[in-house]
Amino acid sequence: MTNYLYVHIPFCMKKCLYCDFYSIPFESSITEDYINAVCKEIKLREESADSLKTMYIGGGTPTIFSEKDIQNILNAVKENCFINPDAEITIEANPGTISAHKAEKLLKSGINRISIGIQSLVDEELVALGRSHTATDAINALKNVRRAGFMNVSTDLIYGIPGQSLAVWELTILKIIELAPGHISTYELTPEENTPLHEYIKSGRIMLPDEDVISEMYYKGIDILKTHGYIHYEISNFAKPGYECIHNLNYWNRGEYLGIGAGAHSFSNGKRTANLKDVPNYIKNVNKGKLPVAEEIEITKDEAARELIFLGLRKTDGIDTSLIPVEKRELIKKAAEELHDHGLVEIKNNHLRLTRKGLILSNEVIVKVLLRIDANRP
Ligand code: SF4
């Protein structure tokens, strides 16, 4: 039984040019069936979660649904699980789908944290990303949720956008800081394969900023946010003290969670499961009273150690070395020594963590540690 619940809403207004998540265009005709199926799945899995410490409604764009639809999901959760009075209850929102009135209703329904996909405050950059909102919409969304009374607000920003300069990135962060969200995430734009953005770059139609400039953007973001009192607690995440995302920390700590909805993932009893992605198929299965599971994988001891590395190293606190399985400690220590020689990791207070230099190379560092574990697999 887990205390962490995730509900997935895989609908968006339109597909962003860089997005490789599973999400489909919003159709009002499917809303009712989807919400009903989600509520039924919550009932089907009532034994799996209780005494909730966090609930996270993510997507896609959950605020594409009306406040009444979202309330219906919350009601279904409340009927089946106890929600701790101090639970963190988050909803993801995109500018253009969150008015002050809607934000007020969401707050009244018990949601106490909102995460807004601002991404940029420059219209040309938003066009380059294929976002369906303007910079004014983004600022209004942030003001609307504040006006409605949300105290715990998070904003997502993207750097490394075609046409973006270091100076403009700095200005964007400073403007966001002025609006005082408790939590800010900064993500590097990654042109994933099979996205239009990837195609445009491959064909030379657009260009990303220089790699060195992108690194500078990352470190500039860290420095500005630190100067303004934000704690850098995960590779891409910053929070004022007490505003760290408890739900996401549970993922990085390899905690168990239950995922509800099409394509949602769960982790419990050493098994990772994924729900059916296809929305009509998901609805059909749930309506037949069947758990909509597409895949279930038993996590072996080796895989658990790998997860501990690639999730734990994301936190700036790193991994508590006492949690590393005894049989892997020597191997990981060896990898850490090599990486330490290059100034990429350090062990401090019994925690293995990335150094400032290692942060931007986190993927390479993590792969090196994992290869060391794999190479010694019996
Ligand atoms: S809003 Fe988010 S989930 Fe939807 S298409 Fe854009 S990036 Fe993807």
Side-chain angles (χ1 to χ4, degrees):
M1 175 98 53
T2 176
N3 312 117
Y4 299 85
L5 178 70
Y6 175 80
V7 179
H8 192 58
I9 309 293
F11 304 101
C12 286
M13 307 258 273
K14 72 170 196 138
K15 199 80 187 157
C16 301
L17 294 174
Y18 59 95
C19 181
D20 73 335
F21 298 138
Y22 175 72
S23 70
I24 54 174
F26 176 66
E27 276 176 52
S28 52
S29 56
I30 209 165
T31 306
E32 202 181 329
D33 289 345
Y34 188 73
I35 300 281
N36 285 340
V38 162
C39 295
K40 277 186 196 159
E41 192 192 351
I42 293 168
K43 173 91 189 123
L44 284 173
R45 297 193 190 259
E46 65 180 337
E47 303 291 314
S48 308
D50 208 356
S51 294
L52 296 186
K53 290 182 181 164
T54 71
M55 172 175 170
Y56 195 108
I57 308 175
T61 306
T63 44
I64 216 163
F65 282 171
S66 70
E67 44 277 40
K68 195 169 153 279
D69 290 330
I70 296 163
Q71 178 72 63
N72 285 341
I73 296 176
L74 277 156
N75 289 347
V77 172
K78 285 176 194 162
E79 276 165 25
N80 292 282
C81 315
F82 173 72
I83 304 181
N84 281 310
D86 59 350
E88 173 193 277
I89 307 181
T90 305
I91 191 163
E92 286 182 346
N94 273 319
T97 61
I98 185 83
S99 62
H101 174 76
K102 195 177 206 173
E104 220 172 280
K105 293 266 180 192
L106 295 178
L107 191 65
K108 276 202 185 118
S109 70
I111 292 171
N112 52 30
R113 183 174 185 273
I114 194 155
S115 174
I116 310 175
I118 300 246
Q119 318 308 3
S120 164
L121 291 177
V122 178
D123 283 338
E124 291 75 20
E125 292 176 7
L126 290 166
V127 170
L129 294 171
R131 299 287 298 177
S132 57
H133 60 87
T134 62
T136 308
D137 294 335
I139 291 176
N140 286 342
L142 201 40
K143 287 186 175 165
N144 284 343
V145 301
R146 279 255 173 260
R147 208 169 296 138
F150 270 95
M151 300 300 291
N152 195 347
V153 179
S154 177
T155 55
D156 285 359
L157 295 176
I158 294 181
Y159 62 92
I161 302 170
Q164 189 180 41
S165 68
L166 181 60
V168 170
W169 167 239
E170 249 184 276
L171 274 180
T172 301
I173 302 179
L174 288 168
K175 273 195 213 161
I176 286 291
I177 291 172
E178 260 176 46
L179 295 162
H183 188 281
I184 298 177
S185 307
T186 66
Y187 297 107
E188 180 185 337
L189 180 64
T190 8
E192 304 289 352
E193 273 188 39
N194 301 322
T195 60
L197 179 78
H198 188 263
E199 279 309 303
Y200 297 164
I201 292 170
K202 222 172 84 184
S203 65
R205 198 170 135 187
I206 53 172
M207 269 171 71
L208 293 177
D210 219 59
E211 259 184 41
D212 292 346
V213 175
I214 295 177
S215 299
E216 272 188 76
M217 287 177 176
Y218 177 58
Y219 287 115
K220 184 59 85 179
I222 294 177
D223 293 340
I224 298 178
L225 288 163
K226 274 191 182 165
T227 308
H228 287 83
Y230 288 85
I231 299 163
H232 185 198
Y233 74 103
E234 193 265 356
I235 292 173
S236 311
N237 285 281
F238 305 82
K240 287 274 165 109
Y243 287 90
E244 295 86 352
C245 179
I246 304 167
H247 188 83
N248 286 341
L249 275 169
N250 180 55
Y251 292 143
W252 299 317
N253 287 327
R254 278 199 85 238
E256 297 194 334
Y257 54 90
L258 172 65
I260 299 282
H265 290 242
S266 301
F267 177 44
S268 85
N269 295 323
K271 286 181 194 149
R272 294 206 178 262
T273 51
N275 273 359
L276 294 161
K277 263 190 184 175
D278 178 69
V279 170
N281 203 9
Y282 165 80
I283 296 174
K284 204 165 83 194
N285 271 262
V286 176
N287 284 343
K288 281 186 192 157
K290 289 207 263 176
L291 285 180
V293 175
E295 197 181 22
E296 182 173 280
I297 300 168
E298 188 114 27
I299 303 297
T300 62
K301 270 187 168 183
D302 268 5
E303 279 152 1
R306 291 169 61 86
E307 288 184 0
L308 185 80
I309 299 296
F310 70 73
L311 294 172
L313 274 181
R314 295 199 62 85
K315 296 175 295 166
T316 52
D317 260 2
I319 304 162
D320 180 345
T321 48
S322 67
L323 297 178
I324 298 173
V326 181
E327 66 277 16
K328 302 285 178 200
R329 276 188 201 161
E330 260 320 292
L331 300 174
I332 291 174
K333 200 173 142 220
K334 266 191 199 149
E337 277 164 9
E338 285 162 20
L339 291 161
H340 181 264
D341 290 346
H342 292 93
L344 297 169
V345 299
E346 62 186 357
I347 295 186
K348 225 179 185 177
N349 303 327
N350 294 326
H351 278 69
L352 171 65
R353 58 182 214 183
L354 297 168
T355 57
R356 180 174 163 97
K357 182 179 170 193
L359 282 166
I360 195 122
L361 297 168
S362 59
N363 288 341
E364 290 83 345
V365 171
I366 289 167
V367 166
K368 281 231 160 81
V369 182
L370 295 180
L371 283 174
R372 173 67 80 163
I373 302 181
D374 287 350
N376 287 276
R377 213 178 253 187

